[in-house]
Amino acid sequence: MERKVDVAIIGAGSAGLTATSTVRRYTDNFVLIDGGELGTTCARVGCMPSKAAIQVAEDLYRRGAFAREGIAGGEGLSVDIPAALEHVRDLRDVFVDQVLAGSIDHMEDEFIAENAYFIEPTLLQVGDQQIRAGKIILATGSKPIVPRAWEVFGERILTTDNFFEQEDMPARVAVVGLGVIGLELGQTLARLGVNVTGVDMATMIGGLRDPEVNAAAVELINKEFPLWLGQAAELSEAADGCVRVTAGEQNVVVDKVLVCMGRRPNLCNLGLDGIGVRFTSRGVPEYDTHTLQIGQFPIFIAGDVDGDRPILHEANLEGRMAAYNATHDPVVAFKRKVPLAITFCDPNIVSVGASFETLQEKSIVVGEMKFGPLGRALVMNKNKGLLRVYARKADGRVLGAAMIAPKGENLGHLLAWCIQQELNVTDLLKMPFYHPTIEEGLQGALYDLRRKLDIQGEIPLELELL
Amino acid sequence: MERKVDVAIIGAGSAGLTATSTVRRYTDNFVLIDGGELGTTCARVGCMPSKAAIQVAEDLYRRGAFAREGIAGGEGLSVDIPAALEHVRDLRDVFVDQVLAGSIDHMEDEFIAENAYFIEPTLLQVGDQQIRAGKIILATGSKPIVPRAWEVFGERILTTDNFFEQEDMPARVAVVGLGVIGLELGQTLARLGVNVTGVDMATMIGGLRDPEVNAAAVELINKEFPLWLGQAAELSEAADGCVRVTAGEQNVVVDKVLVCMGRRPNLCNLGLDGIGVRFTSRGVPEYDTHTLQIGQFPIFIAGDVDGDRPILHEANLEGRMAAYNATHDPVVAFKRKVPLAITFCDPNIVSVGASFETLQEKSIVVGEMKFGPLGRALVMNKNKGLLRVYARKADGRVLGAAMIAPKGENLGHLLAWCIQQELNVTDLLKMPFYHPTIEEGLQGALYDLRRKLDIQGEIPLELELL
């Protein structure tokens, strides 16, 4: 006996839950299926607990500014790492409860705590029952990648899945992979007093694609813990059950290795092969990024499982897009948001809009601002960093930016919103820049662009006729 | 013998210096006249030293979050106020040097270190010489208001003019006037351990005009030091040369009184009466806010002296507007920026766009967001505050906002830029909101507006068709 629904949503993470609440606008006849641990990647092991840990580390690290400010006693500060981790878990539990209270806690037989398997493109095996769905939303998320050969190191290997469950941190940790998560947690551990070594076979860190911002970022972060870049890490056993991490000619013995080599979409045991879904070379189903439809199947993919933009606000948007298309005919194409990627290290690393390597160097001009002389940054004792804004040479249109900057997360929003509105350098210079704020750093980059683009006007660019 | 110039600029503060550099684009024949102490209000006694002091106080205050984060030793922190003030002066000197190095240090006989007096609308007495100017820019700034009757208290009275010159702070200070400066410095002193009492005859603080945000602000700030609102302060002598401050039925004996009752335009001894300039009831020359022309005189007013928008970026803009009109015929009218006012207390108090009391309650809808449950604010242990966004009922156009909010200065920029572009609630909801950020607080207020405005759409508002 089949249960018939209009829409089946597989996965109750951020994308699946947002899809569910959007589907609900259009039909009551749906199911949400998830056989795993409840709570989103974001709340359980991602954005939220990492931000909580970062905040503790930043607060402790701030003592470096105390002496010059006339504050005594900074050298007497210390962190109780088990207590800090407990605090992180306390906050995490609040966030997980918030997520569940707003969603699954109120669902009855619409929620099924089982795994799903595709029998046909519209027929799912879910535990003992079969569900026939008009449309299906695939939102099964992702999990941390750990090379199979490293599984022998057992508990010596940390990923975000178990990091926040640790009772304590050991004295020596290697962080392998210095993208967003590796950089955030590596810097956090270093600031909490752990001896951290960072390793990445790439030479760009924190998801950067701009070589100059990357150079500034490497220089800044490298002062806090060593970064070994451009060589793959190899792991081997050392004395006392410790692990030797080797990268090129360098090696170090550590107690644990935090593996942050990216995340793999959860696509196993779903039966997608059996129904004829085609996969890209990166191992994700072929789908349209504007409709989220997988091939011509009545299946829509949303969230981290699609291997693109693995961040919460994009997962939520994809959940909405998938839900709309799963409840409407014909399928429609949606615009995507201006890309915004933030690494919440200190200073923040941010990429906005068009990525530097996708731009033709001849057709753009880059406006730069170093944060060294910026008044407010100096007052905050955070006058370190570099902002680069890319504008089209032809018309001054702002296309993208990359930065390592104090309050970069906020500058990133400003820039993303302006880029989404297709504004140009002159438009931005007419906006109010309060003094003294970090936003004046953006103003500095815009003035540099004005100079390099040789934008002239009889009237000063900051002004506009009534 | 008259010296003839195209433009004479009176006052070498922020507005005058910006005017000078703009005038220079159009003519070499100008003079800049200032007989007072060099360096701008902003750098010497305003924005910059106050931000430096606020930063010290915030860093010390942050110890309140340490225990829950697992950081020990916070109770051992203390501030050496003389050292902190020395640090503030060190930074101030850097900023003053920056200002002068970029302007007056490079001027020769274009700069005259004398006071100016109007003999005719185009003829100035400047020390021993007379200067005939085609156009004149009046940018003489302002100074703190102290009631004449209080002058008898001599050194017991502090204003921003002498505050940062103090070697130390006494145990007990009353702050009279709780606008931007009073609130910033009052909270700073309280956090540094001074026993502070705040007094204001108004009931709104920090320049707020929104009663609900004000109520939230009063409640928050009042936890740090007592606010006596709605009663004028009266000063009288107390024992040991101390000062008794009385407001209604309350009174307190303090060592010093920090007077922050606003600033008075510097208009004395300029001879403006003699050439027939008319003054408003507020004591400033009658002028057009879009041309900055004083009546039909060849005189343009810019900066704090005009009694409007006494903040640096507006002073700079006015300097440019005045400079353009002083070098071009006919006079043109410029648009003004969207108003943005920030009090850098913690949380920030911010007003943007249309002020609440100027809006017809029937024609607007107010979207609210409390920062209590906001994830990032919770992580930062700064989950306190209220944001109210005003939108036009007819079309959802965002008109203004007021808030007491963590990172309010950054939210203020986002909102100001959107308001300047005349965006509506739906436009804003389509922008990327990264997670977890304080910008999601704005998103919450926008969702509240969507609900109250009953904005419906077949497609979720966050999405846009390609």
Side-chain angles (χ1 to χ4, degrees):
Chain A
M1 167 79 185
E2 291 175 6
R3 175 170 171 188
K4 283 202 169 70
V5 297
D6 292 336
V7 183
I9 301 127
I10 309 175
S14 299
L17 290 173
T18 309
T20 301
S21 67
T22 305
V23 162
R24 197 191 287 276
R25 286 182 57 183
Y26 306 110
T27 176
D28 291 330
N29 188 20
F30 64 87
V31 286
L32 174 63
I33 304 161
D34 194 319
E37 187 172 354
L38 291 180
T40 61
T41 296
C42 163
R44 281 199 312 112
V45 295
C47 330
M48 299 314 300
S50 61
K51 297 310 145 304
I54 286 168
Q55 185 66 51
V56 176
E58 276 201 31
D59 283 337
L60 180 67
Y61 186 75
R62 186 66 192 166
R63 70 192 183 286
F66 287 175
R68 72 195 273 268
E69 293 183 333
I71 298 174
E75 67 289 347
L77 293 176
S78 64
V79 65
D80 175 351
I81 292 181
L85 287 166
E86 188 69 37
H87 161 71
V88 168
R89 280 191 291 273
D90 285 347
L91 281 173
R92 177 203 61 188
D93 292 345
V94 169
F95 298 123
V96 170
D97 286 349
Q98 272 181 0
V99 167
L100 297 181
S103 55
I104 293 170
D105 288 356
H106 300 289
M107 293 173 76
E108 298 181 359
D109 69 344
E110 294 142 352
F111 178 69
I112 306 172
E114 298 277 2
N115 293 321
Y117 183 86
F118 280 88
I119 300 169
E120 301 170 13
T122 58
L123 185 64
L124 297 170
Q125 184 74 41
V126 182
D128 293 336
Q129 61 181 316
Q130 292 195 346
I131 293 180
R132 175 73 67 181
K135 304 283 170 59
I136 293 171
I137 295 172
L138 188 64
T140 48
S142 63
K143 58 167 179 274
I145 294 171
V146 177
R148 181 152 303 176
W150 295 2
E151 286 173 8
V152 299
F153 296 98
E155 294 192 348
R156 298 282 174 171
I157 299 289
L158 298 175
T159 69
T160 46
D161 274 354
N162 59 4
F163 182 89
F164 301 105
E165 291 301 324
Q166 302 298 303
E167 293 294 322
D168 199 354
M169 285 291 153
R172 302 164 302 174
V173 170
V175 177
V176 178
L178 295 168
V180 176
I181 296 167
L183 213 48
E184 288 182 356
L185 295 182
Q187 186 183 46
T188 293
L189 289 175
R191 289 182 169 192
L192 294 179
V194 173
N195 192 321
V196 175
T197 305
V199 189
D200 200 313
M201 65 182 297
T203 54
M204 299 264 204
I205 64 173
L208 283 167
R209 291 287 175 271
D210 182 309
E212 297 196 33
V213 174
N214 185 65
V218 169
E219 188 188 338
L220 281 173
I221 303 292
N222 196 52
K223 286 179 184 157
E224 296 195 44
F225 63 99
L227 304 180
W228 297 353
L229 301 174
Q231 303 269 8
E234 291 173 26
L235 269 50
S236 56
E237 275 188 55
D240 303 322
C242 294
V243 184
R244 182 178 301 278
V245 179
T246 305
E249 297 187 347
Q250 296 176 289
N251 74 86
V252 64
V253 173
V254 297
D255 304 297
K256 297 209 175 182
V257 178
L258 173 59
V259 181
C260 304
M261 299 170 74
R263 299 176 66 87
R264 192 190 315 277
N266 290 328
L267 290 164
C268 296
N269 306 321
L270 279 167
L272 288 169
D273 284 326
I275 59 168
V277 165
R278 296 175 56 174
F279 288 81
T280 69
S281 59
R282 291 171 53 239
V284 292
E286 289 182 358
Y287 72 96
D288 183 310
T289 57
H290 296 284
T291 65
L292 302 186
Q293 187 171 17
I294 296 180
Q296 295 301 314
F297 293 93
I299 307 173
F300 300 88
I301 192 166
D304 292 5
V305 68
D306 65 26
D308 186 36
R309 308 190 184 209
I311 44 182
L312 180 102
H313 75 277
E314 293 283 358
N316 285 346
L317 287 167
E318 289 177 359
R320 290 190 179 95
M321 290 162 63
Y324 185 84
N325 273 335
T327 49
H328 292 77
D329 278 313
V331 164
V332 296
F334 294 100
K335 282 189 192 170
R336 299 304 304 248
K337 305 293 156 201
V338 164
L340 173 59
I342 302 175
T343 300
F344 291 87
C345 55
D346 174 30
N348 299 154
I349 290 176
V350 182
S351 300
V352 196
S355 183
F356 186 69
E357 92 276 12
T358 67
L359 298 168
Q360 300 293 327
E361 249 182 274
K362 282 184 186 162
S363 67
I364 63 160
V365 171
V366 181
E368 290 198 354
M369 177 74 186
K370 289 181 176 157
F371 286 87
L374 186 71
R376 180 65 181 285
L378 200 58
V379 162
M380 293 165 72
N381 196 25
K382 284 182 173 278
N383 56 325
K384 296 196 168 26
L386 173 66
L387 166 63
R388 302 209 330 140
V389 180
Y390 321 133
R392 192 155 62 192
K393 205 176 273 179
D395 58 2
R397 172 99 151 260
V398 178
L399 301 175
M403 72 190 88
I404 176 162
K407 290 192 178 231
E409 54 178 306
N410 309 111
L411 294 178
H413 277 89
L414 260 190
L415 275 160
W417 290 27
C418 289
I419 293 170
Q420 191 152 317
Q421 290 167 84
E422 309 188 346
L423 301 185
N424 63 33
V425 172
T426 309
D427 296 326
L428 265 61
L429 279 171
K430 294 190 195 309
M431 300 293 168
F433 290 87
Y434 211 86
H435 180 74
T437 62
I438 295 295
E439 282 78 1
E440 293 174 300
L442 171 55
Q443 193 180 30
L446 294 169
Y447 279 133
D448 190 38
L449 277 171
R450 178 182 65 175
R451 207 161 29 242
K452 290 173 176 170
L453 286 164
D454 197 25
I455 304 175
Q456 304 269 353
E458 179 64 13
I459 292 176
L461 287 187
E462 298 86 351
L463 302 181
E464 197 170 358
L465 290 176
L466 186 65
Chain B
M1 167 79 185
E2 290 175 4
R3 176 171 170 188
K4 284 201 168 71
V5 296
D6 291 336
V7 182
I9 301 128
I10 310 175
S14 299
L17 290 173
T18 310
T20 301
S21 67
T22 305
V23 162
R24 197 192 286 276
R25 287 182 58 183
Y26 306 110
T27 176
D28 291 331
N29 188 19
F30 63 87
V31 285
L32 173 63
I33 304 161
D34 194 319
E37 187 173 354
L38 291 180
T40 61
T41 296
C42 164
R44 281 198 314 113
V45 295
C47 329
M48 299 315 299
S50 61
K51 296 312 144 305
I54 286 168
Q55 185 66 52
V56 177
E58 276 201 30
D59 283 338
L60 181 66
Y61 186 76
R62 186 67 192 165
R63 71 191 183 287
F66 287 176
R68 72 194 273 269
E69 293 183 332
I71 299 174
E75 68 290 348
L77 293 176
S78 64
V79 64
D80 174 350
I81 292 181
L85 287 165
E86 188 70 36
H87 162 71
V88 169
R89 281 191 291 273
D90 286 348
L91 281 173
R92 178 203 60 187
D93 293 344
V94 170
F95 298 124
V96 170
D97 286 349
Q98 273 181 359
V99 167
L100 297 181
S103 54
I104 292 169
D105 289 357
H106 301 289
M107 294 173 75
E108 298 181 359
D109 67 345
E110 294 142 350
F111 178 69
I112 307 172
E114 297 278 1
N115 292 322
Y117 182 88
F118 280 88
I119 300 170
E120 300 170 15
T122 58
L123 185 64
L124 297 170
Q125 185 73 43
V126 181
D128 293 337
Q129 61 182 315
Q130 292 195 345
I131 293 180
R132 176 72 67 179
K135 303 283 169 60
I136 294 171
I137 295 171
L138 189 65
T140 48
S142 63
K143 59 167 180 273
I145 294 172
V146 177
R148 181 152 303 177
W150 295 1
E151 287 172 8
V152 299
F153 295 99
E155 295 192 350
R156 298 284 174 170
I157 299 290
L158 298 175
T159 68
T160 47
D161 273 353
N162 59 3
F163 182 88
F164 301 104
E165 290 302 326
Q166 302 297 304
E167 294 295 322
D168 198 355
M169 284 292 154
R172 303 164 301 174
V173 171
V175 177
V176 178
L178 295 168
V180 175
I181 297 168
L183 213 49
E184 288 182 357
L185 296 182
Q187 186 183 45
T188 293
L189 289 175
R191 290 181 168 193
L192 295 179
V194 174
N195 191 321
V196 175
T197 305
V199 189
D200 200 313
M201 64 182 296
T203 53
M204 299 264 205
I205 64 173
L208 283 167
R209 292 286 175 273
D210 182 309
E212 298 195 32
V213 174
N214 185 65
V218 169
E219 187 189 339
L220 281 172
I221 303 294
N222 196 52
K223 285 178 184 157
E224 297 195 45
F225 63 99
L227 304 180
W228 297 352
L229 300 174
Q231 304 270 8
E234 290 174 26
L235 270 50
S236 56
E237 276 189 54
D240 303 322
C242 295
V243 184
R244 180 178 304 278
V245 179
T246 305
E249 296 186 348
Q250 294 175 290
N251 75 86
V252 63
V253 173
V254 296
D255 303 297
K256 297 209 175 180
V257 178
L258 174 59
V259 180
C260 302
M261 300 171 73
R263 299 177 66 89
R264 191 190 314 278
N266 291 327
L267 289 164
C268 296
N269 306 321
L270 279 166
L272 288 169
D273 284 327
I275 60 168
V277 166
R278 294 175 56 175
F279 288 80
T280 69
S281 58
R282 291 170 52 239
V284 293
E286 289 181 359
Y287 73 97
D288 182 309
T289 57
H290 296 283
T291 65
L292 302 186
Q293 187 171 16
I294 295 180
Q296 293 302 315
F297 293 93
I299 307 173
F300 300 87
I301 192 166
D304 292 3
V305 67
D306 65 25
D308 186 35
R309 307 190 184 209
I311 45 183
L312 180 102
H313 76 277
E314 293 284 359
N316 285 348
L317 287 167
E318 289 177 358
R320 290 190 178 94
M321 289 163 64
Y324 185 84
N325 273 335
T327 50
H328 291 77
D329 278 313
V331 164
V332 295
F334 294 99
K335 282 189 192 172
R336 300 304 304 248
K337 305 293 157 199
V338 164
L340 173 58
I342 302 175
T343 300
F344 291 86
C345 55
D346 174 31
N348 300 155
I349 289 176
V350 182
S351 301
V352 197
S355 183
F356 187 68
E357 91 276 12
T358 66
L359 297 168
Q360 300 293 326
E361 249 182 274
K362 282 185 186 162
S363 67
I364 63 161
V365 171
V366 181
E368 290 198 354
M369 177 74 185
K370 289 181 176 156
F371 286 86
L374 187 73
R376 180 63 181 287
L378 198 60
V379 162
M380 294 166 72
N381 197 24
K382 284 182 173 278
N383 57 325
K384 297 196 167 29
L386 172 66
L387 166 63
R388 300 209 332 139
V389 180
Y390 320 133
R392 194 156 60 193
K393 204 177 272 179
D395 57 3
R397 169 96 153 264
V398 178
L399 301 174
M403 72 189 88
I404 176 161
K407 291 193 176 230
E409 54 178 307
N410 308 112
L411 294 178
H413 277 89
L414 260 189
L415 274 160
W417 291 27
C418 289
I419 292 170
Q420 191 153 317
Q421 290 168 84
E422 309 189 345
L423 301 185
N424 63 32
V425 172
T426 309
D427 296 327
L428 265 61
L429 280 171
K430 294 191 196 307
M431 300 293 167
F433 289 87
Y434 211 85
H435 180 74
T437 63
I438 295 296
E439 283 77 2
E440 293 174 299
L442 171 55
Q443 193 179 29
L446 294 169
Y447 279 134
D448 190 39
L449 277 171
R450 178 181 65 174
R451 207 161 27 242
K452 290 173 174 169
L453 287 164
D454 197 25
I455 305 175
Q456 304 269 353
E458 179 62 13
I459 293 175
L461 287 187
E462 298 86 350
L463 302 180
E464 198 168 359
L465 290 176
L466 186 66

